[in-house]
Amino acid sequence: MVKPNRKLVQGTLDMLILKALCHGAQHGYGIARRIEQLAADALIVEEGSLYPALHRIEQQGWIKSKWKVSDKNQQARYYSLTAAGRKQLEQEEASWIRLSDAIRKVLVSA
Amino acid sequence: MNLLQVSINRIFALSRREELEDDINAELRFHLEMRAQENIERGMAPAEAVLSATRRFGNLNAVKDACRDIRGGGLLEVLRQDLRFALRILRKDRLFTLTAILALAFSIGLTAAVFSVANTVLFRPLPYDHPEQIMALWNRDSHFPERRYPFSYPDFKDIQAASKSFATLGAFMVSNFVMNADSGEASWVRAAHVTPNVFPLLGVEPTLGRTFLESENGPGNRVVVISYDLWQRAFRGGADVIGKSLTLDEQKYEIVGVMPRNFRFPFENQPAEIWTTTSTDAEAHYNGAPPLSTERAAHYMNLVGRLKPGAKRSEAEAELQAAVLRAAAKYPKTNDLFDGANVTPLLNDLTDRAKPVLLTLLAAAFCVLAVACVNITNLRLARATTRQKEIAIRSALGAGSGRILRQFLAESLLIALAVGFLAVLVSVAANVLFVALLPPQFPRSFELFPDWRLLAVGGILTLISSILVGLAPAWHSARSYPAPVLNDCSFVCTETAKGRRIRSLLVVVEIVLSFMLLASTYLLVRNLWLMKHLNPGFNSDNLFTAQLSFPDERDPKIFTRIEDFYRHLRERVSKLPGVESSSAASVLPLTGLAPISQFQLVGEKEKLPQPRTLLSIVTPNYFNTMAIPLIKGRDFTESDRRSSKLVVIVNQSFVRKFLPNQNPLGRVLKSRMSDDMNGPTEKEIVGVVGDVKIRDLTTEGEPEIYFPYAQSIIFSDMTLIARTKLSPNAILPDIRRLVAEADKGVALTRPCLMSEYLSSAVAQPRLDMTVMSIFATMVVILTGLGVYGLMAYVVGQRQHEIGIRFALGAQKGVVFKLIMKQGLRLVVWALGLGIVCTLLLVQVLRPFLSATGGGEFAAVCWVTLFLSIIGWLACWLPARRAAQLDPLVALGQRPAQLGH
């Protein structure tokens, strides 16, 4: 099963965004920072694809957004997980773990 | 979010585009500020911090676009862009846009109107139960093949008994009554006498009360069913109308039922408002004669029948023909007139005579529409080629061929909307105009008003035309290659030879269709002009007419009453100031209503079947009043009374046909009027008069016999005629007064001028001519534009070549002749083809051109001349422009203006 590279990345980015919102609402910049933090800076989020991704998964109903005042007293758009999003995150996590296990098995055995 | 929410969001996004834009901008700006802030905290200088943030973000605009695409209007947004752009393009080339819209809208509107009329008249089912089973039955006589004859009551009974194919067979007759209101005022009302089974046959239930019982068809029954309109008018829609009575022909009739609104039987333009049983004729007729319903010779009953389910019309017709022939053999004295019969579906019976007109007008309308579509397509193709540069640039910038196709379709959509809107207006106007021009006897004209069907047809035609017109250029342009065009290699012809041939062929088709339409119009105009100048045989100037209706009385003294009435009336009317002379007749010329009589010339071998002529019953002074020339002998006088010698007057055609080369005066003929109790009586010919056109303006040479009124009083309803010195309408009040003075029970109806009858005799040709000339005008304009458009395009295509020719030293005249030759060759071919097609077409038109023979040659010559001039002009303008081209522009060294 060969998926085009981009799609894989897109799916992965969606999952990372959902994970980043697991612990509370955050604006777009904050999501990028959190992902980098969680990955201990091993990942650099391509900012060009972050916002389209955010808007896309908002259309799909996994997150919702609201304009709020940030802690620095600025207007920002805050995103938060919906119930459907939480469920989606669990599913994705599970299948990702399964997938990486399978790949690791293949790589180790070869 | 589900699909519905997403769609709603998209629609909102469309309307709040600015807000969306601000939203996205704000969000991304926030991100950049935060990143810059972070950079500053890390120690960068403010300017560098911002720069670094921006660089790290990537292509800001691309991200904005991506976000906008996701959250924005999506497909609708794209469509909106396309439409806006299309609007701009169309506005830039106003002339083309306007031409296209007007041409298409007018052709579609006219076509929709004609189509809608044709559809309603020819195909809309009659408002009865299972109308396709209802048939009209007629007697036929092969000597007068275009006439259809009713049946006598005894014949009807025989046919009813012997019929196997019909489930129900009924009879009806139309007449009129003089209805007396309570105030004593007499008015005239149209009525139908029906056998009681007619209402069940039609399958329409009364809205109040009931229809007739079988027992009510006998003598002594005076019951009526009235129409909805009459109920509203005379009884104000009161529910207690059942049981009330009406005074008709001075007798009381009881109302037993009311028919629903819009019920109409017989289905004629002039509706019957009262229905009664046929028993009213089953009573003693004048003078103690046997009742008409037992008279086998009295053929006045129309038959209508409903076929049994599964029975076929042809079988029913064969049955009827057998019955008619049987009756002719069994009762030769009364029935040998008929040698055939017809069973026709009722709808066809009513509308068949309008079919040729409508179908021809429909064909012409579609021609015009075809020409308009062809024209617009050609023009658009030409424009598409001049817009190549624009397309190439867009293509190079990344627009797929799908996007470009959509662009063209968007233009088509806008044009279609404008066309659709305008076409609706045109079709409604055309419908109204058409109905106004209709001759009064045109079938179903009361149903022809604009309704949703008209709009639907207009909408469908708009859709089809727009698709046809929009598709070709869109497809053509989407396939073009950007590189050669952008490189300005204008000698690379993106137009193939095949394409050019197709376009030339289309123009030829246009010219041929124009030719045919113009020729038809010429012939129709000529026809009308000739008809108007045909001699009707009498003088119709200042001739006042009015119908006088007597109540049908069973009183034997009715004869004297009627005779006195007409004698006194004529005396007094003649004495009115302003009246030159007056008279009365049973039927007017040009109405085609003259009845037929059989006769036998005494002194000759008896001919079987007996010869027949038209007959008319007139009072003395008729020929003088109508200015019909008296050729031989004398007119009727007051001394020709019932008790004196029986006399007749014949016309010249009669003499020519039956007494050639003999002196008709003094000859005796035997004929039977329905009040001759003892068989045919002998009558002497005492005069010969000039022919009049009886049926219509064009039928000539019909023999006619005139009977003096006093000797044949069977028609108590006559038409009063008066020739006035000046204005005929002015004497109407006086006439009314005199009629009322002479006899209170007589109703005067339909006062009108003889010239109006003349005018309605030409109404049909006038309609044909008017509609055709409108079509022809449109087509000529379109064709002129078409040829011009093609030639202008050709000049554009050959620009480079022309530039080279100039550069090589060609004179302007040479270039001019070159272009002209190309154009004129096309025109000449087309005209040749047009001549051939027209000569074929004329055969089709023959039934419309009743007044003319010949004229085709003149038509072809004139139209060829006219179209040649137009064609020449349409080629001359572009050729002139080609000759005046700046060679440098032609060669592409100096840029020309984009778009033209």
Side-chain angles (χ1 to χ4, degrees):
Chain A
M1 184 183 62
V2 181
K3 274 201 205 148
N5 237 358
R6 216 205 234 174
K7 252 215 166 131
L8 196 60
V9 171
Q10 198 181 65
T12 320
L13 183 57
D14 291 352
M15 193 178 66
L16 292 175
I17 291 173
L18 290 177
K19 186 70 187 177
L21 289 174
C22 222
H23 300 293
Q26 192 49 262
H27 50 66
Y29 178 72
I31 293 175
R33 292 295 295 137
R34 192 173 284 177
I35 293 177
E36 285 160 15
Q37 273 171 6
L38 290 175
D41 285 330
L43 265 181
I44 294 195
V45 177
E46 178 68 58
E47 298 189 0
S49 41
L50 176 66
Y51 282 94
L54 275 172
H55 293 154
R56 193 171 16 85
I57 54 183
E58 184 180 4
Q59 297 261 13
Q60 282 173 322
W62 297 336
I63 59 180
K64 54 183 193 281
S65 66
K66 206 152 60 157
W67 281 92
K68 285 215 282 245
V69 181
S70 74
D71 43 358
K72 298 235 176 60
N73 249 345
Q74 279 169 309
Q75 282 280 345
R77 195 194 199 100
Y78 277 77
Y79 295 91
S80 55
L81 269 184
T82 61
R86 230 170 261 281
K87 216 183 339 174
Q88 178 72 14
L89 178 59
E90 283 168 18
Q91 284 176 354
E92 291 246 0
E93 273 183 325
S95 68
W96 177 255
I97 289 171
R98 256 202 317 270
L99 179 64
S100 61
D101 273 346
I103 294 178
R104 199 167 8 94
K105 281 205 195 104
V106 167
L107 289 176
V108 163
S109 69
Chain B
M1 273 194 244
N2 61 16
L3 187 61
L4 181 65
Q5 281 173 311
V6 171
S7 313
I8 294 178
N9 277 349
R10 292 239 164 135
I11 295 176
F12 275 139
L14 264 186
S15 50
R16 300 181 314 179
R17 276 170 79 256
E18 274 187 29
E19 280 180 38
L20 182 71
E21 199 70 20
D22 291 342
D23 203 59
I24 296 174
N25 281 342
E27 192 175 3
L28 297 180
R29 200 176 44 239
F30 175 78
H31 183 109
L32 287 173
E33 279 173 13
M34 294 293 282
R35 183 66 74 184
Q37 199 67 22
E38 190 194 318
N39 285 345
I40 288 175
E41 278 165 17
R42 289 232 199 100
M44 284 194 208
E48 205 195 321
V50 170
L51 203 61
S52 166
T54 316
R55 217 182 305 127
R56 179 165 173 180
F57 194 83
N59 187 348
L60 184 63
N61 281 321
V63 173
K64 275 194 198 167
D65 279 347
C67 289
R68 213 183 297 126
D69 269 347
I70 293 176
R71 288 186 60 199
L75 195 62
L76 282 177
E77 175 73 27
V78 169
L79 192 65
R80 191 172 168 280
Q81 283 176 357
D82 285 337
L83 285 176
R84 261 182 46 191
F85 189 60
L87 196 63
R88 253 208 332 260
I89 292 277
L90 290 176
R91 250 214 299 259
K92 209 167 70 145
D93 198 354
R94 268 173 237 258
L95 186 64
F96 164 77
T97 311
L98 216 59
T99 311
I101 292 177
L102 287 178
L104 280 177
F106 270 93
S107 352
I108 290 176
L110 288 176
T111 308
V114 175
F115 188 89
S116 169
V117 166
N119 184 48
T120 304
V121 171
L122 299 176
F123 297 112
R124 202 192 291 189
L126 297 174
Y128 308 127
D129 189 30
H130 285 297
E132 69 285 353
Q133 289 176 337
I134 303 182
M135 303 279 144
L137 287 75
W138 295 104
N139 260 328
R140 299 302 294 269
D141 172 10
S142 49
H143 293 257
F144 290 91
E146 63 299 324
R147 280 224 186 186
R148 305 170 308 191
Y149 299 91
F151 297 80
S152 64
Y153 201 80
D155 284 343
F156 160 62
K157 282 283 180 234
D158 289 346
I159 294 172
Q160 197 181 36
S163 155
K164 294 197 197 54
S165 311
F166 284 103
T168 326
L169 203 58
F172 67 95
M173 181 196 82
V174 177
S175 75
N176 49 57
F177 281 114
V178 175
M179 184 168 78
N180 282 79
D182 295 328
S183 53
E185 190 190 307
S187 66
W188 177 92
V189 81
R190 196 166 175 81
H193 301 255
V194 299
T195 52
N197 59 2
V198 164
F199 286 109
L201 187 154
L202 296 174
V204 180
E205 291 293 320
T207 188
L208 219 61
R210 61 173 177 84
T211 58
F212 304 124
L213 310 165
E214 267 309 320
S215 55
E216 284 169 334
N217 205 26
N221 287 289
R222 295 201 192 284
V223 285
V224 284
V225 171
I226 63 176
S227 74
Y228 187 89
D229 287 344
L230 184 61
W231 177 40
Q232 296 296 322
R233 238 182 25 240
F235 298 95
R236 263 175 279 259
D240 58 346
V241 66
I242 308 292
K244 285 212 176 127
S245 66
L246 283 178
T247 310
L248 301 168
D249 277 2
E250 298 175 352
Q251 301 272 2
K252 276 213 186 309
Y253 286 77
E254 185 194 341
I255 300 174
V256 297
V258 179
M259 292 310 284
R261 194 180 214 167
N262 295 331
F263 174 75
R264 192 183 282 253
F265 182 80
F267 207 72
E268 289 167 0
N269 285 347
Q270 223 186 354
E273 297 198 284
I274 287 182
W275 292 271
T276 180
T277 57
T278 51
S279 65
T280 49
D281 279 318
E283 303 195 353
H285 199 56
Y286 302 110
N287 243 8
L292 268 184
S293 57
T294 60
E295 264 296 348
R296 207 173 271 275
H299 306 280
Y300 63 99
M301 279 285 176
N302 298 297
L303 259 52
V304 65
R306 182 181 283 278
L307 285 176
K308 287 193 182 126
K312 285 214 277 226
R313 185 205 68 86
S314 46
E315 290 169 1
E317 192 172 74
E319 247 180 44
L320 185 64
Q321 276 181 334
V324 166
L325 291 174
R326 263 202 313 272
K330 199 164 165 195
Y331 310 101
K333 284 219 174 93
T334 56
N335 282 44
D336 70 344
L337 196 67
F338 308 119
D339 53 12
N342 260 154
V343 171
T344 326
L346 195 58
L347 179 61
N348 295 35
D349 195 55
L350 293 168
T351 60
D352 270 353
R353 55 198 154 86
K355 215 189 252 201
V357 177
L358 287 174
L359 292 180
T360 309
L361 287 180
L362 201 59
F366 272 112
C367 277
V368 176
L369 188 58
V371 167
C373 286
V374 160
N375 218 326
I376 305 301
T377 309
N378 256 355
L379 287 178
R380 280 203 84 191
L381 278 173
R383 274 182 72 244
T385 324
T386 44
R387 283 172 64 189
Q388 270 173 348
K389 221 176 221 154
E390 167 216 331
I391 310 285
I393 292 176
R394 298 185 70 201
S395 187
L397 282 177
S401 51
R403 187 76 200 260
I404 296 184
L405 191 77
R406 248 199 342 252
Q407 174 62 50
F408 278 95
L409 290 180
E411 286 177 34
S412 300
L413 182 68
L414 283 181
I415 293 186
L417 287 174
V419 165
F421 178 71
L422 205 57
V424 161
L425 296 178
V426 170
S427 68
V428 169
N431 191 313
V432 170
L433 177 71
F434 197 82
V435 171
L437 286 173
L438 285 178
Q441 62 271 23
F442 196 85
R444 304 183 82 167
S445 50
F446 50 87
E447 282 181 316
L448 298 174
F449 41 82
D451 63 358
W452 64 266
R453 287 183 197 81
L454 181 67
L455 300 183
V457 172
I460 293 175
L461 286 176
T462 306
L463 196 66
I464 297 177
S465 319
S466 305
I467 291 177
L468 286 176
V469 165
L471 214 57
W475 182 71
H476 169 91
S477 285
R479 281 165 68 242
S480 63
Y481 297 100
V485 179
L486 282 176
N487 285 337
D488 232 1
C489 298
S490 40
F491 56 80
V492 171
C493 197
T494 50
E495 156 117 322
T496 61
K498 187 171 96 164
R500 194 170 39 232
R501 259 206 296 276
I502 292 179
R503 312 253 320 281
S504 308
L505 185 68
L506 290 177
V507 173
V508 167
V509 166
E510 273 186 306
I511 296 181
V512 169
L513 288 175
S514 300
F515 200 105
M516 293 200 289
L517 278 176
L518 277 174
S520 313
T521 306
Y522 176 90
L523 289 172
L524 287 172
V525 169
R526 183 166 168 273
N527 184 49
L528 183 68
W529 190 86
L530 285 176
M531 275 192 79
K532 283 186 134 167
H533 288 82
L534 283 176
N535 182 14
F538 60 93
N539 183 354
S540 59
D541 293 337
N542 288 340
L543 208 55
F544 171 89
T545 73
Q547 309 252 44
L548 299 170
S549 291
F550 251 86
D552 270 341
E553 269 200 28
R554 310 300 154 211
D555 181 359
K557 289 208 280 297
I558 189 76
F559 273 149
T560 356
R561 181 177 169 189
I562 296 176
E563 204 178 333
D564 287 341
F565 170 81
Y566 280 109
R567 193 162 10 99
H568 287 144
L569 187 67
R570 278 192 311 104
E571 271 173 30
R572 291 194 197 124
V573 169
S574 312
K575 288 207 183 67
L576 276 178
V579 172
E580 285 182 357
S581 71
S582 79
S583 172
S586 60
V587 72
L588 289 176
L590 293 183
T591 53
L593 294 174
I596 292 183
S597 160
Q598 288 172 291
F599 69 97
Q600 199 68 47
L601 279 169
V602 165
E604 284 190 5
K605 202 164 62 123
E606 178 148 341
K607 288 191 208 135
L608 274 174
Q610 289 189 333
R612 305 165 187 114
T613 66
L614 300 170
L615 75 87
S616 187
I617 299 176
V618 299
T619 60
N621 206 25
Y622 172 74
F623 304 107
N624 182 31
T625 309
M626 296 286 281
I628 299 172
L630 179 67
I631 313 242
K632 273 199 181 95
R634 66 170 181 84
D635 190 0
F636 298 129
T637 62
E638 295 298 342
S639 45
D640 293 315
R641 310 198 61 150
R642 200 154 179 78
S643 42
S644 39
K645 189 162 68 137
L646 299 177
V647 293
V648 292
I649 294 177
V650 298
N651 69 353
Q652 275 185 307
S653 288
F654 183 95
V655 173
R656 232 175 281 138
K657 192 160 175 194
F658 301 110
L659 297 168
N661 306 319
Q662 300 172 44
N663 182 14
L665 299 181
R667 294 299 301 269
V668 175
L669 54 83
K670 269 197 336 194
S671 82
R672 186 173 188 266
M673 305 289 278
S674 47
D675 64 339
D676 286 332
M677 297 314 125
N678 309 313
T681 47
E682 290 191 354
K683 303 169 166 78
E684 183 186 329
I685 301 178
V686 295
V688 179
V689 291
D691 285 353
V692 276
K693 301 275 167 67
I694 302 142
R695 191 198 315 252
D696 52 41
L697 270 177
T698 51
T699 319
E700 290 197 332
E702 291 202 280
E704 194 173 4
I705 303 180
Y706 294 91
F707 293 79
Y709 180 70
Q711 295 178 351
S712 29
I713 302 180
I714 54 166
F715 294 101
S716 52
D717 293 356
M718 301 266 276
T719 307
L720 181 69
I721 309 167
R723 190 180 295 281
T724 62
K725 292 199 186 79
L726 290 175
S727 157
N729 280 322
I731 64 171
L732 177 59
D734 291 320
I735 302 266
R736 279 197 200 278
R737 181 176 44 87
L738 290 178
V739 166
E741 277 172 11
D743 191 317
K744 236 175 19 123
V746 174
L748 182 143
T749 51
R750 271 204 255 160
C752 66
L753 304 183
M754 193 65 212
S755 47
E756 286 170 35
Y757 282 106
L758 206 65
S759 179
S760 58
V762 299
Q764 183 68 58
R766 193 170 43 227
L767 169 74
D768 298 341
M769 180 204 81
T770 311
V771 177
M772 270 303 195
S773 18
I774 295 178
F775 288 157
T777 312
M778 288 198 58
V779 163
V780 165
I781 294 176
L782 286 173
T783 306
L785 281 176
V787 174
Y788 170 79
L790 179 68
M791 294 317 297
Y793 167 76
V794 160
V795 165
Q797 283 298 94
R798 297 178 72 171
Q799 228 178 337
H800 198 86
E801 171 206 337
I802 293 172
I804 293 179
R805 284 181 188 263
F806 276 133
L808 287 178
Q811 300 289 342
K812 286 197 205 281
V814 168
V815 170
F816 180 82
K817 272 208 265 271
L818 189 70
I819 302 295
M820 282 297 276
K821 229 172 54 174
Q822 184 176 6
L824 285 181
R825 193 171 16 174
L826 198 70
V827 173
V828 165
W829 265 110
L831 286 179
L833 204 59
I835 293 177
V836 168
C837 287
T838 302
L839 289 176
L840 293 173
L841 176 76
V842 166
Q843 308 309 318
V844 169
L845 278 184
R846 230 171 259 291
F848 300 91
L849 306 176
S850 37
T852 61
E856 292 109 7
F857 184 65
V860 163
C861 288
W862 281 108
V863 173
T864 308
L865 184 65
F866 183 69
L867 281 181
S868 312
I869 294 177
I870 296 216
W872 188 87
L873 203 68
C875 295
W876 180 75
L877 286 170
R880 198 171 75 120
R881 197 138 48 95
Q884 290 173 347
L885 268 179
D886 183 343
L888 290 176
V889 169
L891 281 170
Q893 298 305 318
R894 197 183 298 160
Q897 286 168 312
L898 242 182
H900 261 296

